[in-house]
Amino acid sequence: MTMRSFPDRVRHALMFETIGLAIITPATAWLYGKPLLDMGVVGVGAATLATVWTFVFNLGFDHAMRWLHGHTRKALHHRLLHTLLFEGGLLVMLLPPMAWYLGMTLWQTLLLDLFIVAFYLVYNFVFNIAYDRIFPLPDMPRGQPA
């Protein structure tokens, strides 16, 4: 079974982060009363780390799927596991630098990050289903889950 190509993975990661950042940065600045510039810096830093994490995590997840199941097609329960593991890893990597930069306690930053994670949990799930349908694997017909 075919796995996604390097250029396809780059397109996926860049589209995911660009769209997500355009939605979440103004929302968090407004909700948490932080300057848009500060949230923009945090957002760009987080998006940069998340872009690298997206590429590495998705590649690893697909290899695990192929090793465990012999293919990379993801059923609903695979998508849920994928999303939870991805966001959990990102949370662990982002919390300390966000707290430091925003001058917040780890607890305050955790609450902020949990809001962001809640957004990205839903966004990640919806985005990846849409991406699989719009950009199917070469051996899959359009509209079929990858």
Side-chain angles (χ1 to χ4, degrees):
M1 182 85 24
T2 304
M3 289 182 54
R4 294 203 175 271
S5 67
F6 180 82
D8 187 27
R9 289 181 186 281
V10 170
R11 175 181 57 199
H12 174 275
L14 292 175
M15 285 179 67
F16 180 86
E17 292 306 328
T18 301
I19 294 167
L21 194 57
I23 296 168
I24 199 66
T25 300
T28 53
W30 178 74
L31 283 171
Y32 290 91
K34 294 289 182 182
L36 185 60
L37 180 61
D38 286 352
M39 292 311 292
V41 168
V42 167
V44 168
T48 301
L49 177 62
T51 299
V52 173
W53 179 235
T54 296
F55 182 86
V56 170
F57 181 82
N58 287 341
L59 181 61
F61 195 90
D62 281 355
H63 278 286
M65 287 283 300
R66 191 169 62 182
W67 182 74
L68 291 169
H69 302 290
H71 60 79
T72 60
R73 289 185 310 277
K74 295 166 189 77
L76 180 62
H77 67 281
H78 297 123
R79 282 287 175 212
L80 291 172
L81 178 63
H82 175 273
T83 299
L84 291 171
L85 291 174
F86 175 86
E87 294 299 339
L90 196 57
L91 176 69
V92 168
M93 291 183 279
L94 286 176
L95 196 61
M98 282 177 60
W100 170 79
Y101 184 79
L102 294 172
M104 297 167 61
T105 67
L106 285 174
W107 177 250
Q108 292 169 322
T109 309
L110 176 62
L111 294 177
L112 168 62
D113 209 29
L114 288 175
F115 170 78
I116 294 168
V117 166
F119 164 77
Y120 274 100
L121 279 170
V122 175
Y123 173 66
N124 185 327
F125 183 75
V126 171
F127 178 89
N128 281 300
I129 289 173
Y131 190 88
D132 287 347
R133 291 178 191 260
I134 294 167
F135 303 105
L137 290 169
D139 60 348
M140 292 250 165
R142 268 197 183 308
Q144 295 294 313

